[in-house]
Amino acid sequence: MSKLKVLTLNVFFGETERLRRAHALVDRILSEAPDVAALQEVTQEVGVVVDSQLAREYHVLFEPDMGPLKPSGTCLLVARSRWPAAPALLHHHVLPGTDMDRTLFAASLTL
């Protein structure tokens, strides 16, 4: 039977040692080696570290509207060893009724 290892984490660190903690996050992801990781509240600075350090092992998908005007967002990591082709981003929705700019996005993976 095929297994799927998933990791999820809210990575907002505040300002305290943000870069050191971002590199520790990358180290933990590499040691856990999930097939898929979903990261929430990824800031621009942390996103750069995640992308630059994990892009060889993972497809790094950020929500489409993450940019300089949005302080944080979500990121999906998909193991290249299991899915060599990048998954398509299927859905991206801004959730109603919140002033915190909450979004949902999803990709489809074949098991």
Side-chain angles (χ1 to χ4, degrees):
M1 175 182 276
S2 182
K3 291 187 179 185
L4 178 69
K5 186 173 183 179
V6 178
L7 177 146
T8 183
L9 181 67
N10 182 315
V11 300
F12 182 70
F13 302 138
E15 299 300 321
T16 306
E17 299 188 56
R18 184 180 289 172
L19 282 178
R20 185 181 72 77
R21 294 176 74 184
H23 287 285
L25 168 67
V26 166
D27 291 344
R28 175 56 62 180
I29 290 169
L30 290 172
S31 69
E32 292 291 330
D35 297 310
V36 176
L39 307 177
Q40 301 84 40
E41 293 197 71
V42 178
T43 62
Q44 299 285 326
E45 189 176 30
V46 172
V48 167
V49 172
V50 166
D51 191 33
S52 67
Q53 299 294 312
L54 293 175
R56 293 182 74 162
E57 291 84 8
Y58 291 91
H59 298 286
V60 182
L61 306 170
F62 293 100
E63 63 183 85
D65 61 350
M66 226 177 128
L69 298 178
K70 187 168 183 179
S72 67
T74 50
C75 174
L76 187 66
L77 304 171
V78 178
R80 290 179 183 274
S81 61
R82 187 137 182 203
W83 293 279
L89 185 63
L90 297 180
H91 305 285
H92 178 249
H93 303 283
V94 176
L95 300 176
T98 178
D99 59 354
M100 296 181 71
D101 202 20
R102 302 217 187 264
T103 60
L104 168 75
F105 81 103
S108 179
L109 304 169
T110 302
L111 296 178

